[in-house]
Amino acid sequence: MTDTRTATAASVPLAPRALPLLGHALPLLRDPLAFIMSLSGYRTMVRLRLGPSTAVMVCDPALTRQVFLNDRVFDKGGPIYDRIREVIGDGLSTCSYDLHRRQRRLCQPSFHPTRLAGYGAVFARAAELKAASWRDGDILDVTQEMMTLTTRATMETMFSGALPAQTMRRALDDTAIIVSAFFRRMMTPALLRRLPTPQKRRYDRARNRLSATIEQVIAERRADPTDHADLLSTLVAAVDEESQDGQKQLSDTELADEALTFFLGGMETTAITLAWALHLLATNPDVQHRLQAETDAVLAGGKPDPAQLPSLGLAARVVTETLRLYPPAWMMTRTLRQDAELGGVRLKGGSTLVLSPYLLHRRSDLYDEPDRFDPDRWDGAQPDRATYIPFGAGARKCIGDQFALTEAILALTAIVARWELTPVGDQPFQPKVETSLSSRGLRLRLSERRTGGADGAGLHAAAPRSTPARPSAQSSTQPGAATCPVKHSE
Ligand code: HEM
């Protein structure tokens, strides 16, 4: 019998379908979700091969939590973070354990509940403007629309909307190029990654231009350090009283890395969460109608407002359930800083671990009918900290979770108050699996809602458009702890 206390990584079963040289890279590139779900029978850990290197995938919720909570040993690293680091340097989400605590202390004030109150008003306004820009019968490129919404909201909360429209559009294009390249670059061996292909040149150009945009904004802000009540002002002013080396504030490079981190980390994740939520509502009209009833009652013909958040219980449950079914960070990686034991297996320093919220969120032994969209499963129930991890856990848990939830709930409310959403075509829509679980290509049809409302002309007759006509293919309560009626506490 094997003595599990001395078992090594070699005793962890190897996932089937490994090819010589490539290992599991092909199934991971071709149909990553099906491949990941095919591993759900492994209850603790399973080994994966990516080219010449091996990674251990953790399949058990308690072990996953153990990894999250011990970030001194299971540090940020592995192929995902190596690629992300190429763009955002050693920002808060990519930096190693040694740098993390100082950076987290410096960034935390930007997400303080008192700041979130102001951001909520920006989100509500941006969502209302976006929803008012559509026309009855439009077919929306939903992901694109949600990206422009969250880019605008993120830009305004970060930089008080100080960017000219053209710069904003360019930043949006560059971001789209960068995020769609991440996953492929992660799976491509280093040698091939360096080849000067047209994709690589496009990627490099986008990366350099986005960095230059952010650096320019920071230089302007350093020249005029008055408090603009935005995220960048808080970052510029942040002081780390616990600093041991006299470096009490963020340097220009650190500021640029953090600003890029928040921008890239916050914009796409929230946009695709919203896109998936709209998809799920369109394909579950009963839930959509119940949500519209909630919205009608809470808004009473007015506009969404952060003060209404505690009354938007169903909207919060829809977002919670969307993040269960489509966690944008469907896979995360860690690197061991030293030899360590996990689940009775001795792992060597330098080993790579893979964690997958998608796998845990869809395991039938953890959730009843795991593939069914059922926001009511959260009615009166708090998400379990081990089995529900769309924002990760422990010291590296998402710093923007309340920011994102506030934004998503207010945006959903603004949209369903005005619009009925229906699917286009009858083919089930499949995620495009990249570094995040993308909803790219999702299209939905809009119909104006005519029922209810205090303005007598239908609840929300679509406002006159200020944007060009399109068949849309382009295109108080205390927030923080009380933001989301479904608590996502650590
Ligand atoms: C629905 C939206 C979002 C999702 C699903 C999400 C998900 C995550 C996850 C899973 C992590 C942990 C990654 C790991 O442990 O490897 C994370 C970390 C992080 N997120 Fe988010 N995020 C979202 C929105 C945001 C927003 C809006 C911001 C900022 C404006 C943001 C900024 C960050 C940062 C800076 C970290 C690193 C935290 C640290 O290491 O201390 N995220 N996010």
Side-chain angles (χ1 to χ4, degrees):
M1 211 170 115
T2 319
D3 179 355
T4 52
R5 284 168 304 172
T6 57
T8 64
S11 68
V12 175
L14 181 69
R17 294 164 56 198
L19 293 174
L21 296 177
L22 291 174
H24 297 100
L26 273 189
L28 263 172
L29 274 173
R30 278 203 188 126
D31 194 348
L33 297 181
F35 179 66
I36 292 290
M37 288 317 293
S38 76
L39 305 176
S40 59
Y42 296 93
R43 286 299 188 233
T44 52
M45 293 187 273
V46 60
R47 259 182 317 135
L48 305 179
R49 290 216 347 254
L50 300 174
S53 41
T54 300
V56 172
M57 173 145 170
V58 183
C59 309
D60 173 66
L63 293 182
T64 303
R65 188 158 171 80
Q66 202 175 319
V67 171
F68 275 134
L69 295 192
N70 190 355
D71 64 321
R72 194 178 59 76
V73 171
F74 305 109
D75 201 359
K76 279 280 176 97
I80 293 187
Y81 290 107
D82 293 347
R83 296 289 77 71
I84 298 179
R85 207 172 273 133
E86 287 175 357
V87 179
I88 52 181
D90 273 323
L92 182 62
S93 72
T94 42
C95 67
S96 64
Y97 172 81
D98 301 324
L99 302 175
H100 179 256
R101 296 304 191 266
R102 169 178 178 273
Q103 292 199 30
R104 184 93 188 195
R105 282 193 299 272
L106 283 161
C107 293
Q108 201 70 57
S110 300
F111 295 90
H112 191 271
T114 49
R115 287 280 175 182
L116 276 173
Y119 303 156
V122 173
F123 300 148
R125 202 170 48 242
E128 181 62 20
L129 277 175
K130 175 54 84 183
S133 73
W134 299 327
R135 282 258 173 94
D136 196 18
D138 270 358
I139 292 181
L140 291 187
D141 178 335
V142 185
T143 311
Q144 178 71 16
E145 288 295 297
M146 294 304 104
M147 289 280 271
T148 52
L149 166 59
T150 58
T151 306
R152 172 149 291 124
T154 309
M155 287 282 185
E156 266 191 50
T157 45
M158 280 179 75
F159 311 128
S160 339
L163 296 190
Q166 196 191 352
T167 313
M168 192 120 128
R169 259 197 310 277
R170 210 175 52 203
L172 180 64
D173 292 346
D174 291 339
T175 308
I177 293 169
I178 293 166
V179 290
S180 75
F182 270 155
F183 187 60
R184 195 153 286 279
R185 288 181 63 74
M186 192 179 97
M187 291 295 166
T188 310
L191 212 63
L192 296 181
R193 259 199 323 267
R194 284 195 283 271
L195 289 180
T197 58
Q199 287 97 326
K200 159 103 169 56
R201 282 202 292 273
R202 220 166 141 241
Y203 170 80
D204 285 343
R205 213 169 28 242
R207 199 177 57 160
N208 295 336
R209 222 166 47 171
L210 188 60
S211 296
T213 306
I214 303 269
E215 278 160 21
Q216 188 190 337
V217 179
I218 289 172
E220 284 164 13
R221 190 57 63 87
R222 287 275 199 215
D224 166 25
T226 44
D227 186 357
H228 291 64
D230 58 15
L231 218 147
L232 188 58
S233 291
T234 327
L235 273 182
V236 170
V239 177
D240 177 18
E241 297 298 352
E242 295 175 43
S243 164
Q244 304 291 321
D245 57 4
Q247 286 274 319
K248 287 190 180 246
Q249 291 200 273
L250 291 165
S251 67
D252 277 2
T253 311
E254 287 175 323
L255 259 181
D257 287 351
E258 300 310 359
L260 258 176
T261 298
F262 296 151
F263 186 65
L264 284 173
M267 197 200 81
E268 203 224 3
T269 43
T270 314
I272 60 180
T273 301
L274 273 168
W276 283 120
L278 295 176
H279 164 73
L280 289 164
L281 290 173
T283 47
N284 292 272
D286 52 325
V287 180
Q288 183 176 174
H289 295 150
R290 281 174 50 213
L291 185 57
Q292 281 160 342
E294 173 179 281
T295 305
D296 292 353
V298 175
L299 267 58
K303 295 182 175 171
D305 184 308
Q308 296 154 340
L309 282 162
S311 310
L312 296 169
L314 182 55
R317 293 197 295 280
V318 166
V319 173
T320 299
E321 180 69 344
T322 303
L323 285 166
R324 183 184 70 80
L325 284 170
Y326 298 105
W330 63 283
M331 175 167 134
M332 299 170 228
T333 54
R334 292 291 189 269
T335 300
L336 267 74
R337 287 160 59 92
Q338 61 193 62
D339 292 359
E341 194 182 298
L342 184 67
V345 173
R346 194 92 204 135
L347 299 168
K348 286 210 171 308
S351 310
T352 300
L353 293 182
V354 178
L355 313 171
S356 174
Y358 187 87
L359 175 70
L360 295 190
H361 291 181
R362 295 216 182 211
R363 260 177 55 172
S364 55
D365 58 328
L366 302 178
Y367 288 94
D368 290 338
E369 297 187 75
D371 295 332
R372 194 160 74 87
F373 174 60
D374 178 15
D376 294 332
R377 70 174 82 231
W378 303 111
D379 201 356
Q382 298 308 324
D384 178 84
R385 291 189 300 185
T387 58
Y388 182 85
I389 49 168
F391 294 109
R396 307 301 299 244
K397 187 173 183 225
C398 180
I399 200 171
D401 56 352
Q402 292 301 321
F403 182 103
L405 292 169
T406 306
E407 184 174 7
I409 295 168
L410 290 170
L412 264 194
T413 303
I415 293 168
V416 301
R418 283 177 180 271
W419 301 106
E420 175 87 17
L421 297 132
T422 44
V424 177
D426 48 13
Q427 293 302 309
F429 182 76
Q430 295 299 335
K432 310 283 174 298
V433 186
E434 298 167 346
T435 314
S436 47
L437 214 51
S438 174
S439 51
R440 200 159 35 83
L442 173 67
R443 288 155 73 81
L444 293 177
R445 190 184 308 279
L446 288 178
S447 318
E448 189 184 333
R449 290 187 61 221
R450 301 259 171 215
T451 53
D455 57 8
L459 178 60
H460 291 286
R465 295 166 85 90
S466 51
T467 48
R470 78 171 74 79
S472 277
Q474 48 99 56
S475 306
S476 164
T477 230
Q478 203 51 16
T483 288
C484 179
V486 180
K487 297 282 180 293
H488 294 251
S489 57
E490 206 358 70

